[in-house]
């Protein structure tokens, strides 16, 4: 497709379960970002990939959160042992620019996670 | 943490009126961007202004940047009901993690027909 694709769009899980959220960026985009957005707030940075390399994971809340982009394209954000406070919209974005300068980000529709 | 702060948090106007939203930030930046988010949807890039620019236009949008005050404004002229959305400013720090955009909390704009 032409845009950033995220799946699943909605995920409801029970506390303690693991979840994996997938992001398929725009073809050819070098940079990939994961953000988390709470209701009524702006997106908060989680992690950044330049090609397959995870350049910055400073925004990941704790070690239950991890992300990978093994072939420099599709990325997976994994949350282990989910807690209710993990409930949020998780947004993926991609950009054709490398780390030299930040350009326009193209966002996906997001994955809404609800932890019961 | 969120660097930008939009003001006001919410704005309600009539169709045809102009809407002005402000953004303040804390650190030196390379550029500042504005994004729009329709309810429940993804964010869409509107306009980018570089730190050495003071004003930029795109259609009905006008953005100003005052680096001495660390602030920016977004003006939407002749608003339409379809402009109803949340608007976010986003900045990237100069000299630091310049690949990372930091977003504000947003202004919710409602344009009444």
């Amino acid at each position: 497709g032409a845009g950033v694709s995220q799946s699943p769009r909605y995920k409801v899980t029970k506390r303690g379960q693991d979840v994996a959220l997938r992001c398929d960026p725009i073809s050819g985009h070098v940079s990939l970002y994961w953000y988390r957005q709470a209701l009524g707030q702006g997106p908060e940075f989680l992690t950044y990939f330049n090609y397959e390399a995870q350049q910055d994971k400073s925004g990941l809340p704790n070690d239950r959160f991890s992300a990978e982009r093994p072939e420099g394209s599709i990325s997976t954000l994994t949350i282990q042992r989910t807690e209710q406070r993990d409930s949020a919209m998780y947004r993926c974005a991609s950009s054709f620019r490398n780390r030299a300068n930040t350009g326009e980000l193209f966002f996906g529709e997001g994955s809404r996670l609800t932890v019961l | 943490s969120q660097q930008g702060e939009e003001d006001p948090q919410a704005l309600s106007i009539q169709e045809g009126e102009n809407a002005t939203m402000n953004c303040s930030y804390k650190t030196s930046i390379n550029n500042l961007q504005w994004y729009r988010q329709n309810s429940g949807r993804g964010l869409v890039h509107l306009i980018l202004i570089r730190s050495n620019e003071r004003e930029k236009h795109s259609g009905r949008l006008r953005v100003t940047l005052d680096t001495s005050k660390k602030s920016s404004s977004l003006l939407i002229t002749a608003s339409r009901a379809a402009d109803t959305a949340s608007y976010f400013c986003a900045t990237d720090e100069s000299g630091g993690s310049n690949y990372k955009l930091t977003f504000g909390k947003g202004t919710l704009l409602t344009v009444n027909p």
Side-chain angles (χ1 to χ4, degrees):
Chain A
V4 177
S5 177
Q6 290 188 247
S7 61
R9 289 291 310 279
Y10 303 92
K11 177 69 177 180
V12 180
T13 190
K14 292 183 179 179
R15 188 178 53 183
Q17 297 294 306
D18 298 350
V19 297
L21 307 177
R22 172 188 162 119
C23 173
D24 193 351
I26 293 172
S27 178
H29 277 196
V30 168
S31 299
L32 185 145
Y33 304 77
W34 283 98
Y35 281 82
R36 181 168 70 174
Q37 187 175 19
L39 273 175
Q41 301 289 316
E44 288 198 283
F45 173 83
L46 295 177
T47 187
Y48 161 73
F49 289 86
N50 185 39
Y51 294 100
E52 73 282 358
Q54 189 174 23
Q55 300 281 358
D56 187 338
K57 56 181 181 179
S58 62
L60 295 178
N62 50 61
D63 60 8
R64 294 186 296 105
F65 287 72
S66 63
E68 62 175 10
R69 192 187 186 197
E71 295 177 2
S73 179
I74 292 170
S75 176
T76 302
L77 176 69
T78 301
I79 309 172
Q80 295 179 311
R81 305 181 302 282
T82 53
E83 300 177 5
Q84 286 185 326
R85 60 178 171 156
D86 299 334
S87 297
M89 178 71 83
Y90 289 83
R91 298 197 183 276
C92 177
S94 69
S95 169
F96 71 88
R97 288 185 182 272
N98 60 24
R99 61 184 298 167
N101 196 9
T102 304
E104 171 185 355
L105 296 191
F106 294 81
F107 280 86
E109 295 282 304
S111 292
R112 180 165 294 285
L113 174 65
T114 302
V115 182
L116 303 177
Chain B
S1 64
Q2 299 192 285
Q3 156 150 255
E5 288 284 339
E6 286 88 345
D7 167 52
Q9 288 188 332
L11 179 62
S12 181
I13 59 174
Q14 296 299 121
E15 208 165 24
E17 294 180 340
N18 296 341
T20 299
M21 290 159 272
N22 303 297
C23 166
S24 59
Y25 57 91
K26 298 174 185 173
T27 67
S28 297
I29 61 172
N30 289 314
N31 61 59
L32 184 144
Q33 302 180 40
W34 285 91
Y35 286 78
R36 182 184 72 203
Q37 183 177 34
N38 290 81
S39 179
R41 307 299 299 275
L43 285 84
V44 175
H45 178 265
L46 293 175
I47 194 165
L48 180 153
I49 185 166
R50 303 195 185 283
S51 59
N52 61 355
E53 297 176 312
R54 292 295 167 260
E55 187 172 312
K56 202 161 184 180
H57 297 254
S58 177
R60 294 184 295 113
L61 304 181
R62 173 178 168 252
V63 170
T64 62
L65 179 64
D66 186 336
T67 53
S68 67
K69 296 181 179 178
K70 292 186 169 59
S71 68
S72 173
S73 68
L74 171 67
L75 168 67
I76 304 174
T77 60
S79 64
R80 306 166 182 167
D83 294 329
T84 294
S86 291
Y87 292 82
F88 297 90
C89 67
T91 55
D92 65 339
E93 279 185 51
S94 62
S97 305
N98 61 356
Y99 51 80
K100 180 168 70 176
L101 281 186
T102 303
F103 287 82
K105 294 182 179 180
T107 292
L108 176 60
L109 172 66
T110 303
V111 181
N112 302 297

